[in-house]
Amino acid sequence: MSDNHFKSQKVPVYVIVLIIIAALPAVLTPLLLSLSANPLPELQKIFVWLLPFYLIVAAFLAWQCYKYERTVMSWILIVIMYLTDLSIIYLLTL
C-alpha cells in the first residue's frame, strides 16, 4: 500500500500569475484605505484589515489545491478571491 494518496503536479505559470494578481490587494491595503471617499465605520475597517490575511491564506490554499490535483477547488478559490477584491474596492469607493 502506498502512503502517498495524492499525486503532486507542477502548477502552470498562468495559474500562479492569476493567484498572484488575485492576492495583490493584500499588499495594497493602505492604498485601499486611502481610496475611501468617506470615513469608514469600525466594522468596515475590520473587513479591510482582515483582507490581507484572507487573501494570503486563500492564495496558498489555491496553489496547494492545484498542486495536488484538486483543480476545481483551486478555481473556486481563485474566483472567490477576485470577487472579494471587487467587493472590497466597491465598499471603499461607495
Side-chain angles (χ1 to χ4, degrees), residues 17-33 35 47-56 59 78 80-89 92:
V17 169
L18 286 174
I19 292 172
I20 290 172
I21 291 171
L24 192 60
V27 179
L28 304 174
T29 301
L31 178 65
L32 289 173
L33 282 172
L35 284 177
F47 285 145
V48 174
W49 282 111
L50 288 177
L51 179 69
F53 302 111
Y54 161 72
L55 288 177
I56 290 169
I78 292 169
I80 291 173
M81 286 171 57
Y82 278 109
L83 291 174
T84 304
D85 293 344
L86 291 174
S87 65
I88 289 291
I89 291 171
L92 292 174

Side-chain angles (χ1 to χ4, degrees):
M1 294 193 108
S2 174
D3 289 332
N4 189 5
H5 298 290
F6 302 108
K7 294 179 183 175
S8 180
Q9 67 179 4
K10 186 166 173 58
V11 181
V13 174
Y14 71 92
V15 174
I16 294 173
V17 169
L18 286 174
I19 292 172
I20 290 172
I21 291 171
L24 192 60
V27 179
L28 304 174
T29 301
L31 178 65
L32 289 173
L33 282 172
S34 69
L35 284 177
S36 178
N38 300 321
L40 294 175
E42 203 59 37
L43 183 61
Q44 290 178 358
K45 282 185 186 177
I46 291 171
F47 285 145
V48 174
W49 282 111
L50 288 177
L51 179 69
F53 302 111
Y54 161 72
L55 288 177
I56 290 169
V57 169
F60 175 75
L61 290 176
W63 174 67
Q64 285 293 320
C65 287
Y66 204 99
K67 184 177 173 183
Y68 291 107
E69 296 182 354
R70 288 181 162 39
T71 55
V72 173
M73 190 181 306
S74 178
W75 285 113
I76 290 171
L77 282 169
I78 292 169
V79 168
I80 291 173
M81 286 171 57
Y82 278 109
L83 291 174
T84 304
D85 293 344
L86 291 174
S87 65
I88 289 291
I89 291 171
Y90 177 74
L91 172 76
L92 292 174
T93 57
L94 215 136

